[in-house]
Amino acid sequence: MTFHQLKTFLAVAEAGSIRGAAAALVVTEPSVSATIAQLSRELGVELTERVGRGIRLTEAGREFARYAARILGLADRAVRATREVAGGAGHLRLAAVTTAGEYVLPPILASFLQAHPGLRMSIEIGNRASTLSRLVNEEVDLALGGRPPDRAGIVGEAVRENLLVVVGSPDHPLRGKRGLDPRLLSGETWLMREPGSGTRQN
């Protein structure tokens, strides 16, 4: 099993197709297919299955993907740590949920980088589910978002409040009323973020 195989497998998992993975990796489709087939043979299990024109992970494939992401994340972390010990420039990998990436992160980036002039930084923006997944899988060093999960290996620190408010039409019957019972809103039509968003889960 090689890093190349793991990267190819995760590209297929993310793209949902051989063609999409090949485009993302800038390789040929037969090359991707051969790599996935070889990895499946080495593991002795089928990692993917055909669904129409696409591909999805089998149950074994989904389990393997969790470990593959962590292996690649740890490998990248090992490379960076080794280079830093040898005197190379540090590299901070940061992930942020969409709201924090748009409104919280930009004002503090300039001063942070001025205080650490030799530091390189990479930033990934996504919803809460993808941001926490990157953190758990060692793909990033730090995540900025709301409500850290209660799980081993993740330490959270509150830095500011995140106030959520309900916004409605100016002519809504409940406009201007205070101290509303949340049950009065249960029958309303809501415009919500996508599944995986922290705002949707609140």
Side-chain angles (χ1 to χ4, degrees), residues 4-77:
H4 170 70
Q5 289 174 321
L6 298 182
K7 290 178 181 178
T8 302
F9 170 70
L10 290 178
V12 170
E14 183 174 351
S17 69
I18 296 295
R19 175 178 294 181
L25 297 171
V26 196
V27 297
T28 64
E29 293 180 35
S31 173
V32 172
S33 296
T35 299
I36 298 301
Q38 181 182 1
L39 181 59
S40 292
R41 286 195 300 270
E42 291 180 8
L43 294 174
V45 296
E46 291 297 327
L47 298 172
T48 61
E49 58 186 0
R50 288 280 182 183
V51 180
R53 294 186 176 182
I55 281 182
R56 69 182 177 192
L57 301 186
T58 62
E59 183 177 356
R62 290 192 295 272
E63 182 69 11
F64 183 71
R66 293 175 49 243
Y67 288 95
R70 293 199 67 183
I71 290 169
L72 292 178
L74 282 170
D76 180 65
R77 187 173 178 179

